[in-house]
Amino acid sequence: MAFQTGFSYGPSSSDAIDVILGGSGWNTSQSTVLSWAVADGLNGETFPDRAFAIDYFGAALAAIEPFIDVQFSYIGAFDDPMAAGAAGSDLTYTLESDPQSDTLAFAYFPSPPGTQFEVYAAEPGDVFLNLDHPIIAASSFRPGSEGFLTVLHEIGHALGLKHPFEEAGGFPDWASANITDLMETDWASIMSYSDQFEQEEEKWDPATPMVLDILALQYIYGPNPTINAGDTIHRLENQDYYYAIADATGTDTVDLSAMTEGWQVLLPDAQPSSEVDTLVGIAAKASEYRADLTQLVPTELVWLTGEIENAVGTRFGDGLTGSFADNRLAGRAGDDLLIGAGGDDTLDGGAGRDTAQFSNAQNAHTLVLSSSGITLTDRTDEGDGTDRLIDLEFLTFGSEDDTAAFDLARYTGTAALNDANLESFIELYIAYFNRAPDALGLGFWGTAFANGTSLEEMASLFVDQPETRAIYPEDLSNAAFAAAVYGNVLGRIPDQDGFDFWVNGLESGRVTRDQFILKVLDGAKAAPPPDAAQAFIDQQQADRAYLATKTDIGALYAVHRGMSDVTDAIEVMSLFDGSQAGTNAAVDAINDLHASALDAETGAFLIQITGVLDSPFDAIA
């Protein structure tokens, strides 16, 4: 006799599994092995090709084994199912011929000891195929065909699963179950009769258990604890059917690089049933995927179950979404959308124009640029963590309508500059606007410089900025303009000889206003002439120290603290009057503003640059 016995149980607390639980299962507490066999029918029916039947029954069991803590052991072929049961078969695949029946197949549930049988005692777990049914007779039984699904479906019954559209023994049907995010269809469960491509009998059907089957079977038997243990690369290829993969442990990757169009991937992050710990994700063609799965009509679909941390996209446009884990998402070619979700992720867009999406508002984030890479930190509790950004062009924050896409590529070049370059841009802000730079503007101009715009070209462009025109109106006399620039850059009125020289140059057109500003900045930093008087040298050193302190204050505000509010940038620089007290006041004001900016709800989007400039004020690096 079959050596495994059945057991019974009542409904759980989870509709997601109760909708297909049948109330019975095999008791694997002593052994997780279920024996199986092939047998001719009770009435002399025979398989046209017994070896082929053994192959496809074995393939169906092998498609189930990765998901549950059960091993299926083949014990042989027999003349009838009674003989197979007597030899120890728990699951016997046999035949019942009925040309008049619409039934493709039927199976017996596992039954507890003492259950009344119909014909023979070893009936529980046995599957009967009707070879006279046209679908069974004509099927290739390849994965994805109606014939192979039929075998999977009947094995589901033999392991204890019911139809989702039937209520039985207190277990709900789909209509009464609280399942709102899935359709009652075959890509959700092999136990469903609903097929969105009913006329296609050789493709677009499941080739493994689907998500609800996996969870229900794991509730009965537990998950397979060793499947794909270690670091596994799951290389997905285009198939014309639905299937699932399982992964128990390790750092694992879903690789879609062989696909012939873009795909949407959500790594396992959802727990559909409170009764089963298994996490679930999904992969489908991007052209077919719908976030509302009740609208999904897939020709290809892969359920991802267990622990899978990383994803590699196609050479087309993909959508890759991570999980609570530390994910690595690589978009490769195409215009990709990467969503790291929780954890500290690496988001690599690759070629194309790629976007990273973050769940919280932009003002809750800190962007850090450095020569070693770019990171973005979500400052909210339980937020998206700190993510490394590679080859990404755009960032979006919060809901789609919350903010426009942030053009990251316009700001990232600053981190590649040296300290002298970066200080020269800060000095431009001081000279033109008499304020600290804003981090956004500094990143924009630094990236422009890194991309080939010269400092002279930048100075000319600064002249035409609205802020410059407000500070230095076109009708401002050259003398007033020169005095204002000296005041901003050096904090003093120019000496008369130097003042007259520059005003004459401005009046004659020999020197333009943008050139004049650069000359004043260069003069403050230049070495004194060999014949310079001590008074000249002393003044130049004082000028240099004044400009250096303003530059350090500007760097603290925009580079080290990463702030961008222009009003605040004006205010903090106005506190500096050349004295130590003025310096302290400016630094204290910046630190207070930064503390407020760090608030995840009411703070600011910060862009910090590290590894280029040191701060004398113990700035955050």
Side-chain angles (χ1 to χ4, degrees), residues 94-142:
T94 185
L95 303 170
E96 181 170 291
S97 180
D98 187 352
Q100 306 305 315
S101 174
D102 289 333
T103 300
L104 281 71
F106 66 92
Y108 290 94
F109 286 100
S111 299
T115 302
Q116 183 64 40
F117 54 87
E118 292 184 6
V119 179
Y120 58 97
E123 284 174 343
D126 287 0
V127 175
F128 290 77
L129 289 183
N130 180 9
L131 286 184
D132 288 322
H133 193 286
I135 290 178
I136 298 300
S139 180
S140 68
F141 288 95
R142 63 180 289 274

Side-chain angles (χ1 to χ4, degrees), residues 17 19 43 74 106 118 146 156 169 234 373 384 432 468 487 523 557 559-560 588 611:
I17 58 175
V19 75
N43 300 311
Y74 176 66
F106 66 92
E118 292 184 6
E146 185 74 17
H234 300 278
D384 291 345
Y432 279 93
T468 306
Y557 183 83
V559 175
H560 304 297
D588 289 344

